[in-house]
Amino acid sequence: MVVETSKGRVLLQELEGEIYAVSNKCPHLGLPLVGKTALFQGQVQSGCIVCPAHGTAFDLKSGDVRGEWCPKLPNLPLVGKGPPEKPLPTFPIKIEEGGAIAVDI
C-alpha cells in the first residue's frame, strides 16, 4: 500500500507479520516501486522489494541493496549503470491503539 505524506510517497509492506515503511521512490532514477500502472508493480522476493524498472532488490528492513545494482540495465562504458548504488530510505513505524500506523519520516 502506498500512502501520501507531507514528504512524499511511502510504501507500507507487510512481511512475515511485520509492517515496514520505505520510500516508494527507487534511489536510482526516482521511479516508483509501486505505481498506478501494471508496469510499475514492484514484487516482494526474499524479504526485498524489487524495483520493476531496474530489477534492484532492496531489503525491506534496512533498505540495503541485495544482489546486483540495476541488473536489468547494461553496464555502459564511462557511465556504468547510471547513478551509483544507494540504499532505499526506510522509516520507523508504530502501530497505534486502534490499529493506525504512524510513520516517522
mmCIF file of all heavy atoms in Angstrom, residues 56-100:
data_model
loop_
_atom_site.group_PDB
_atom_site.id
_atom_site.type_symbol
_atom_site.label_atom_id
_atom_site.label_comp_id
_atom_site.label_asym_id
_atom_site.label_seq_id
_atom_site.Cartn_x
_atom_site.Cartn_y
_atom_site.Cartn_z
ATOM 1 N N THR A 56 16.588 -3.888 -9.223
ATOM 2 C CA THR A 56 17.357 -3.854 -7.982
ATOM 3 C C THR A 56 16.474 -4.307 -6.826
ATOM 4 O O THR A 56 15.323 -3.884 -6.716
ATOM 5 C CB THR A 56 17.894 -2.433 -7.702
ATOM 6 O OG1 THR A 56 18.712 -2.040 -8.798
ATOM 7 C CG2 THR A 56 18.705 -2.381 -6.429
ATOM 8 N N ALA A 57 17.026 -5.158 -5.948
ATOM 9 C CA ALA A 57 16.305 -5.641 -4.768
ATOM 10 C C ALA A 57 16.785 -4.871 -3.538
ATOM 11 O O ALA A 57 17.980 -4.799 -3.271
ATOM 12 C CB ALA A 57 16.549 -7.133 -4.579
ATOM 13 N N PHE A 58 15.833 -4.281 -2.803
ATOM 14 C CA PHE A 58 16.129 -3.523 -1.593
ATOM 15 C C PHE A 58 15.545 -4.255 -0.389
ATOM 16 O O PHE A 58 14.357 -4.578 -0.364
ATOM 17 C CB PHE A 58 15.516 -2.123 -1.666
ATOM 18 C CG PHE A 58 16.032 -1.292 -2.803
ATOM 19 C CD1 PHE A 58 15.341 -1.217 -4.001
ATOM 20 C CD2 PHE A 58 17.214 -0.581 -2.673
ATOM 21 C CE1 PHE A 58 15.807 -0.444 -5.054
ATOM 22 C CE2 PHE A 58 17.702 0.189 -3.729
ATOM 23 C CZ PHE A 58 16.992 0.259 -4.917
ATOM 24 N N ASP A 59 16.381 -4.499 0.616
ATOM 25 C CA ASP A 59 15.945 -5.142 1.843
ATOM 26 C C ASP A 59 14.889 -4.264 2.516
ATOM 27 O O ASP A 59 15.123 -3.081 2.750
ATOM 28 C CB ASP A 59 17.151 -5.339 2.763
ATOM 29 C CG ASP A 59 16.819 -6.149 3.985
ATOM 30 O OD1 ASP A 59 16.157 -5.601 4.889
ATOM 31 O OD2 ASP A 59 17.227 -7.318 4.057
ATOM 32 N N LEU A 60 13.720 -4.832 2.826
ATOM 33 C CA LEU A 60 12.649 -4.052 3.437
ATOM 34 C C LEU A 60 13.012 -3.566 4.841
ATOM 35 O O LEU A 60 12.540 -2.520 5.264
ATOM 36 C CB LEU A 60 11.356 -4.860 3.489
ATOM 37 C CG LEU A 60 10.604 -4.975 2.178
ATOM 38 C CD1 LEU A 60 9.524 -6.040 2.259
ATOM 39 C CD2 LEU A 60 10.004 -3.629 1.779
ATOM 40 N N LYS A 61 13.821 -4.317 5.556
ATOM 41 C CA LYS A 61 14.175 -3.933 6.924
ATOM 42 C C LYS A 61 15.216 -2.821 6.960
ATOM 43 O O LYS A 61 15.105 -1.885 7.745
ATOM 44 C CB LYS A 61 14.702 -5.148 7.697
ATOM 45 C CG LYS A 61 13.669 -6.237 7.891
ATOM 46 C CD LYS A 61 14.269 -7.434 8.587
ATOM 47 C CE LYS A 61 13.247 -8.558 8.669
ATOM 48 N NZ LYS A 61 13.790 -9.752 9.296
ATOM 49 N N SER A 62 16.229 -2.908 6.123
ATOM 50 C CA SER A 62 17.359 -1.974 6.194
ATOM 51 C C SER A 62 17.443 -0.998 5.025
ATOM 52 O O SER A 62 18.117 0.023 5.117
ATOM 53 C CB SER A 62 18.671 -2.759 6.256
ATOM 54 O OG SER A 62 18.880 -3.453 5.028
ATOM 55 N N GLY A 63 16.812 -1.332 3.908
ATOM 56 C CA GLY A 63 16.929 -0.528 2.694
ATOM 57 C C GLY A 63 18.164 -0.841 1.866
ATOM 58 O O GLY A 63 18.349 -0.303 0.778
ATOM 59 N N ASP A 64 19.025 -1.722 2.374
ATOM 60 C CA ASP A 64 20.266 -2.059 1.673
ATOM 61 C C ASP A 64 19.977 -2.802 0.371
ATOM 62 O O ASP A 64 19.003 -3.541 0.256
ATOM 63 C CB ASP A 64 21.156 -2.948 2.545
ATOM 64 C CG ASP A 64 21.700 -2.222 3.757
ATOM 65 O OD1 ASP A 64 21.766 -0.966 3.739
ATOM 66 O OD2 ASP A 64 22.059 -2.902 4.729
ATOM 67 N N VAL A 65 20.860 -2.597 -0.605
ATOM 68 C CA VAL A 65 20.775 -3.310 -1.871
ATOM 69 C C VAL A 65 21.214 -4.751 -1.638
ATOM 70 O O VAL A 65 22.241 -5.010 -1.018
ATOM 71 C CB VAL A 65 21.673 -2.637 -2.941
ATOM 72 C CG1 VAL A 65 21.715 -3.464 -4.224
ATOM 73 C CG2 VAL A 65 21.192 -1.223 -3.223
ATOM 74 N N ARG A 66 20.426 -5.684 -2.152
ATOM 75 C CA ARG A 66 20.758 -7.110 -2.077
ATOM 76 C C ARG A 66 20.971 -7.613 -3.501
ATOM 77 O O ARG A 66 20.088 -7.509 -4.332
ATOM 78 C CB ARG A 66 19.642 -7.907 -1.404
ATOM 79 C CG ARG A 66 19.378 -7.508 0.021
ATOM 80 C CD ARG A 66 20.492 -8.011 0.928
ATOM 81 N NE ARG A 66 20.251 -7.616 2.294
ATOM 82 C CZ ARG A 66 21.117 -6.957 3.035
ATOM 83 N NH1 ARG A 66 22.294 -6.618 2.532
ATOM 84 N NH2 ARG A 66 20.841 -6.633 4.271
ATOM 85 N N GLY A 67 22.154 -8.098 -3.757
ATOM 86 C CA GLY A 67 22.451 -8.581 -5.108
ATOM 87 C C GLY A 67 22.987 -7.466 -5.983
ATOM 88 O O GLY A 67 23.504 -6.451 -5.503
ATOM 89 N N GLU A 68 22.817 -7.639 -7.279
ATOM 90 C CA GLU A 68 23.386 -6.713 -8.259
ATOM 91 C C GLU A 68 22.586 -5.410 -8.334
ATOM 92 O O GLU A 68 21.359 -5.412 -8.282
ATOM 93 C CB GLU A 68 23.398 -7.385 -9.639
ATOM 94 C CG GLU A 68 24.014 -6.549 -10.726
ATOM 95 C CD GLU A 68 23.958 -7.210 -12.095
ATOM 96 O OE1 GLU A 68 23.606 -8.396 -12.195
ATOM 97 O OE2 GLU A 68 24.271 -6.511 -13.078
ATOM 98 N N TRP A 69 23.302 -4.300 -8.477
ATOM 99 C CA TRP A 69 22.690 -2.988 -8.686
ATOM 100 C C TRP A 69 22.182 -2.905 -10.126
ATOM 101 O O TRP A 69 22.938 -3.105 -11.067
ATOM 102 C CB TRP A 69 23.727 -1.903 -8.406
ATOM 103 C CG TRP A 69 23.305 -0.490 -8.644
ATOM 104 C CD1 TRP A 69 23.795 0.348 -9.619
ATOM 105 C CD2 TRP A 69 22.354 0.284 -7.910
ATOM 106 N NE1 TRP A 69 23.197 1.587 -9.528
ATOM 107 C CE2 TRP A 69 22.303 1.570 -8.478
ATOM 108 C CE3 TRP A 69 21.532 0.011 -6.828
ATOM 109 C CZ2 TRP A 69 21.483 2.586 -8.003
ATOM 110 C CZ3 TRP A 69 20.701 1.019 -6.344
ATOM 111 C CH2 TRP A 69 20.688 2.280 -6.936
ATOM 112 N N CYS A 70 20.917 -2.669 -10.315
ATOM 113 C CA CYS A 70 20.274 -2.486 -11.625
ATOM 114 C C CYS A 70 20.583 -3.626 -12.605
ATOM 115 O O CYS A 70 21.122 -3.395 -13.697
ATOM 116 C CB CYS A 70 20.670 -1.145 -12.223
ATOM 117 S SG CYS A 70 20.187 0.254 -11.211
ATOM 118 N N PRO A 71 20.224 -4.856 -12.265
ATOM 119 C CA PRO A 71 20.562 -5.979 -13.155
ATOM 120 C C PRO A 71 19.869 -5.950 -14.512
ATOM 121 O O PRO A 71 20.327 -6.610 -15.436
ATOM 122 C CB PRO A 71 20.135 -7.208 -12.349
ATOM 123 C CG PRO A 71 19.117 -6.706 -11.397
ATOM 124 C CD PRO A 71 19.511 -5.297 -11.079
ATOM 125 N N LYS A 72 18.802 -5.176 -14.661
ATOM 126 C CA LYS A 72 18.115 -5.108 -15.956
ATOM 127 C C LYS A 72 18.778 -4.128 -16.924
ATOM 128 O O LYS A 72 18.388 -4.051 -18.079
ATOM 129 C CB LYS A 72 16.652 -4.685 -15.760
ATOM 130 C CG LYS A 72 15.784 -5.733 -15.098
ATOM 131 C CD LYS A 72 14.351 -5.228 -15.057
ATOM 132 C CE LYS A 72 13.413 -6.246 -14.447
ATOM 133 N NZ LYS A 72 12.030 -5.717 -14.400
ATOM 134 N N LEU A 73 19.750 -3.358 -16.440
ATOM 135 C CA LEU A 73 20.396 -2.360 -17.289
ATOM 136 C C LEU A 73 21.777 -2.817 -17.734
ATOM 137 O O LEU A 73 22.482 -3.488 -16.979
ATOM 138 C CB LEU A 73 20.535 -1.033 -16.541
ATOM 139 C CG LEU A 73 19.249 -0.352 -16.114
ATOM 140 C CD1 LEU A 73 19.560 0.946 -15.396
ATOM 141 C CD2 LEU A 73 18.356 -0.090 -17.311
ATOM 142 N N PRO A 74 22.199 -2.407 -18.925
ATOM 143 C CA PRO A 74 23.556 -2.745 -19.377
ATOM 144 C C PRO A 74 24.587 -1.887 -18.633
ATOM 145 O O PRO A 74 24.285 -0.775 -18.198
ATOM 146 C CB PRO A 74 23.536 -2.402 -20.868
ATOM 147 C CG PRO A 74 22.484 -1.350 -20.993
ATOM 148 C CD PRO A 74 21.450 -1.662 -19.943
ATOM 149 N N ASN A 75 25.780 -2.402 -18.497
ATOM 150 C CA ASN A 75 26.888 -1.656 -17.887
ATOM 151 C C ASN A 75 27.630 -0.962 -19.028
ATOM 152 O O ASN A 75 28.425 -1.564 -19.723
ATOM 153 C CB ASN A 75 27.800 -2.610 -17.119
ATOM 154 C CG ASN A 75 28.679 -1.890 -16.148
ATOM 155 O OD1 ASN A 75 28.657 -0.664 -16.056
ATOM 156 N ND2 ASN A 75 29.466 -2.642 -15.403
ATOM 157 N N LEU A 76 27.348 0.325 -19.220
ATOM 158 C CA LEU A 76 27.876 1.069 -20.369
ATOM 159 C C LEU A 76 29.257 1.648 -20.089
ATOM 160 O O LEU A 76 29.556 2.025 -18.949
ATOM 161 C CB LEU A 76 26.916 2.202 -20.737
ATOM 162 C CG LEU A 76 25.500 1.762 -21.106
ATOM 163 C CD1 LEU A 76 24.600 2.967 -21.268
ATOM 164 C CD2 LEU A 76 25.514 0.919 -22.365
ATOM 165 N N PRO A 77 30.098 1.756 -21.113
ATOM 166 C CA PRO A 77 31.413 2.390 -20.927
ATOM 167 C C PRO A 77 31.249 3.815 -20.409
ATOM 168 O O PRO A 77 30.330 4.522 -20.793
ATOM 169 C CB PRO A 77 32.017 2.383 -22.332
ATOM 170 C CG PRO A 77 31.247 1.355 -23.090
ATOM 171 C CD PRO A 77 29.878 1.317 -22.471
ATOM 172 N N LEU A 78 32.108 4.214 -19.526
ATOM 173 C CA LEU A 78 32.173 5.545 -18.919
ATOM 174 C C LEU A 78 31.064 5.850 -17.916
ATOM 175 O O LEU A 78 31.314 6.464 -16.906
ATOM 176 C CB LEU A 78 32.225 6.656 -19.977
ATOM 177 C CG LEU A 78 33.370 6.582 -20.974
ATOM 178 C CD1 LEU A 78 33.245 7.676 -22.006
ATOM 179 C CD2 LEU A 78 34.715 6.660 -20.280
ATOM 180 N N VAL A 79 29.824 5.446 -18.185
ATOM 181 C CA VAL A 79 28.727 5.792 -17.275
ATOM 182 C C VAL A 79 28.252 4.625 -16.421
ATOM 183 O O VAL A 79 27.503 4.818 -15.472
ATOM 184 C CB VAL A 79 27.522 6.397 -18.032
ATOM 185 C CG1 VAL A 79 27.891 7.696 -18.673
ATOM 186 C CG2 VAL A 79 26.962 5.421 -19.041
ATOM 187 N N GLY A 80 28.653 3.405 -16.756
ATOM 188 C CA GLY A 80 28.220 2.235 -15.998
ATOM 189 C C GLY A 80 26.716 2.058 -16.088
ATOM 190 O O GLY A 80 26.153 2.045 -17.169
ATOM 191 N N LYS A 81 26.079 1.983 -14.925
ATOM 192 C CA LYS A 81 24.625 1.807 -14.860
ATOM 193 C C LYS A 81 23.940 3.070 -14.361
ATOM 194 O O LYS A 81 22.853 3.035 -13.797
ATOM 195 C CB LYS A 81 24.281 0.619 -13.980
ATOM 196 C CG LYS A 81 24.746 -0.692 -14.575
ATOM 197 C CD LYS A 81 24.256 -1.867 -13.788
ATOM 198 C CE LYS A 81 24.716 -3.147 -14.457
ATOM 199 N NZ LYS A 81 23.975 -4.299 -14.016
ATOM 200 N N GLY A 82 24.581 4.203 -14.548
ATOM 201 C CA GLY A 82 23.980 5.457 -14.114
ATOM 202 C C GLY A 82 24.442 5.824 -12.722
ATOM 203 O O GLY A 82 25.567 5.505 -12.333
ATOM 204 N N PRO A 83 23.567 6.487 -11.949
ATOM 205 C CA PRO A 83 23.964 6.907 -10.598
ATOM 206 C C PRO A 83 24.481 5.728 -9.774
ATOM 207 O O PRO A 83 24.040 4.590 -9.953
ATOM 208 C CB PRO A 83 22.672 7.463 -10.014
ATOM 209 C CG PRO A 83 21.857 7.866 -11.201
ATOM 210 C CD PRO A 83 22.221 6.872 -12.280
ATOM 211 N N PRO A 84 25.408 5.998 -8.851
ATOM 212 C CA PRO A 84 25.978 4.913 -8.037
ATOM 213 C C PRO A 84 24.952 4.288 -7.098
ATOM 214 O O PRO A 84 23.910 4.886 -6.806
ATOM 215 C CB PRO A 84 27.092 5.607 -7.252
ATOM 216 C CG PRO A 84 26.719 7.048 -7.237
ATOM 217 C CD PRO A 84 25.960 7.291 -8.512
ATOM 218 N N GLU A 85 25.274 3.093 -6.644
ATOM 219 C CA GLU A 85 24.406 2.337 -5.740
ATOM 220 C C GLU A 85 24.073 3.148 -4.496
ATOM 221 O O GLU A 85 24.952 3.733 -3.864
ATOM 222 C CB GLU A 85 25.117 1.040 -5.352
ATOM 223 C CG GLU A 85 24.316 0.152 -4.462
ATOM 224 C CD GLU A 85 25.030 -1.163 -4.179
ATOM 225 O OE1 GLU A 85 25.558 -1.782 -5.119
ATOM 226 O OE2 GLU A 85 25.056 -1.555 -3.009
ATOM 227 N N LYS A 86 22.786 3.178 -4.146
ATOM 228 C CA LYS A 86 22.314 3.862 -2.944
ATOM 229 C C LYS A 86 21.248 3.004 -2.283
ATOM 230 O O LYS A 86 20.447 2.377 -2.971
ATOM 231 C CB LYS A 86 21.692 5.216 -3.282
ATOM 232 C CG LYS A 86 22.664 6.255 -3.744
ATOM 233 C CD LYS A 86 21.995 7.619 -3.816
ATOM 234 C CE LYS A 86 21.286 7.789 -5.131
ATOM 235 N NZ LYS A 86 20.753 9.123 -5.359
ATOM 236 N N PRO A 87 21.194 3.011 -0.949
ATOM 237 C CA PRO A 87 20.130 2.262 -0.274
ATOM 238 C C PRO A 87 18.788 2.973 -0.421
ATOM 239 O O PRO A 87 18.719 4.168 -0.719
ATOM 240 C CB PRO A 87 20.584 2.238 1.188
ATOM 241 C CG PRO A 87 21.448 3.449 1.336
ATOM 242 C CD PRO A 87 22.109 3.649 0.001
ATOM 243 N N LEU A 88 17.723 2.238 -0.196
ATOM 244 C CA LEU A 88 16.370 2.768 -0.204
ATOM 245 C C LEU A 88 16.072 3.322 1.192
ATOM 246 O O LEU A 88 16.280 2.622 2.185
ATOM 247 C CB LEU A 88 15.395 1.637 -0.547
ATOM 248 C CG LEU A 88 13.920 1.991 -0.652
ATOM 249 C CD1 LEU A 88 13.681 2.896 -1.861
ATOM 250 C CD2 LEU A 88 13.100 0.719 -0.778
ATOM 251 N N PRO A 89 15.607 4.571 1.294
ATOM 252 C CA PRO A 89 15.276 5.104 2.621
ATOM 253 C C PRO A 89 14.184 4.275 3.307
ATOM 254 O O PRO A 89 13.197 3.880 2.677
ATOM 255 C CB PRO A 89 14.782 6.522 2.333
ATOM 256 C CG PRO A 89 15.441 6.895 1.046
ATOM 257 C CD PRO A 89 15.481 5.609 0.260
ATOM 258 N N THR A 90 14.389 3.998 4.580
ATOM 259 C CA THR A 90 13.411 3.278 5.397
ATOM 260 C C THR A 90 12.964 4.201 6.526
ATOM 261 O O THR A 90 13.680 5.127 6.910
ATOM 262 C CB THR A 90 14.007 1.987 5.993
ATOM 263 O OG1 THR A 90 15.107 2.329 6.837
ATOM 264 C CG2 THR A 90 14.468 1.033 4.907
ATOM 265 N N PHE A 91 11.782 3.917 7.064
ATOM 266 C CA PHE A 91 11.224 4.758 8.123
ATOM 267 C C PHE A 91 10.670 3.890 9.243
ATOM 268 O O PHE A 91 9.992 2.895 8.976
ATOM 269 C CB PHE A 91 10.099 5.632 7.562
ATOM 270 C CG PHE A 91 10.483 6.371 6.312
ATOM 271 C CD1 PHE A 91 10.030 5.941 5.073
ATOM 272 C CD2 PHE A 91 11.312 7.473 6.366
ATOM 273 C CE1 PHE A 91 10.384 6.613 3.911
ATOM 274 C CE2 PHE A 91 11.673 8.151 5.211
ATOM 275 C CZ PHE A 91 11.210 7.713 3.986
ATOM 276 N N PRO A 92 10.922 4.286 10.505
ATOM 277 C CA PRO A 92 10.342 3.527 11.622
ATOM 278 C C PRO A 92 8.823 3.716 11.657
ATOM 279 O O PRO A 92 8.306 4.779 11.298
ATOM 280 C CB PRO A 92 11.007 4.138 12.854
ATOM 281 C CG PRO A 92 11.741 5.341 12.415
ATOM 282 C CD PRO A 92 11.769 5.376 10.932
ATOM 283 N N ILE A 93 8.142 2.669 12.078
ATOM 284 C CA ILE A 93 6.689 2.744 12.209
ATOM 285 C C ILE A 93 6.281 2.360 13.624
ATOM 286 O O ILE A 93 7.050 1.740 14.358
ATOM 287 C CB ILE A 93 5.957 1.844 11.191
ATOM 288 C CG1 ILE A 93 6.251 0.358 11.446
ATOM 289 C CG2 ILE A 93 6.306 2.176 9.777
ATOM 290 C CD1 ILE A 93 4.994 -0.401 11.671
ATOM 291 N N LYS A 94 5.072 2.744 13.962
ATOM 292 C CA LYS A 94 4.490 2.380 15.256
ATOM 293 C C LYS A 94 3.020 2.075 15.003
ATOM 294 O O LYS A 94 2.336 2.842 14.322
ATOM 295 C CB LYS A 94 4.655 3.547 16.230
ATOM 296 C CG LYS A 94 4.062 3.314 17.582
ATOM 297 C CD LYS A 94 4.341 4.524 18.472
ATOM 298 C CE LYS A 94 3.249 4.689 19.485
ATOM 299 N NZ LYS A 94 3.382 5.906 20.260
ATOM 300 N N ILE A 95 2.569 0.947 15.529
ATOM 301 C CA ILE A 95 1.151 0.608 15.441
ATOM 302 C C ILE A 95 0.476 1.229 16.653
ATOM 303 O O ILE A 95 0.782 0.887 17.793
ATOM 304 C CB ILE A 95 0.914 -0.922 15.418
ATOM 305 C CG1 ILE A 95 1.762 -1.599 14.334
ATOM 306 C CG2 ILE A 95 -0.565 -1.230 15.257
ATOM 307 C CD1 ILE A 95 1.422 -1.212 12.930
ATOM 308 N N GLU A 96 -0.428 2.148 16.392
ATOM 309 C CA GLU A 96 -1.116 2.853 17.473
ATOM 310 C C GLU A 96 -2.348 2.086 17.915
ATOM 311 O O GLU A 96 -2.817 1.169 17.227
ATOM 312 C CB GLU A 96 -1.490 4.259 17.012
ATOM 313 C CG GLU A 96 -0.258 5.088 16.688
ATOM 314 C CD GLU A 96 -0.594 6.497 16.246
ATOM 315 O OE1 GLU A 96 -1.720 6.748 15.757
ATOM 316 O OE2 GLU A 96 0.301 7.366 16.391
ATOM 317 N N GLU A 97 -2.883 2.487 19.055
ATOM 318 C CA GLU A 97 -4.106 1.891 19.550
ATOM 319 C C GLU A 97 -5.191 2.056 18.495
ATOM 320 O O GLU A 97 -5.328 3.121 17.903
ATOM 321 C CB GLU A 97 -4.515 2.588 20.853
ATOM 322 C CG GLU A 97 -5.567 1.814 21.620
ATOM 323 C CD GLU A 97 -5.789 2.381 23.003
ATOM 324 O OE1 GLU A 97 -4.791 2.699 23.672
ATOM 325 O OE2 GLU A 97 -6.960 2.505 23.370
ATOM 326 N N GLY A 98 -5.919 1.018 18.239
ATOM 327 C CA GLY A 98 -6.933 1.063 17.186
ATOM 328 C C GLY A 98 -6.409 0.586 15.844
ATOM 329 O O GLY A 98 -7.152 0.481 14.884
ATOM 330 N N GLY A 99 -5.095 0.322 15.743
ATOM 331 C CA GLY A 99 -4.536 -0.244 14.528
ATOM 332 C C GLY A 99 -3.974 0.740 13.522
ATOM 333 O O GLY A 99 -3.472 0.330 12.482
ATOM 334 N N ALA A 100 -4.066 2.044 13.801
ATOM 335 C CA ALA A 100 -3.496 3.022 12.880
ATOM 336 C C ALA A 100 -1.971 2.870 12.840
ATOM 337 O O ALA A 100 -1.348 2.529 13.842
ATOM 338 C CB ALA A 100 -3.860 4.442 13.308
#
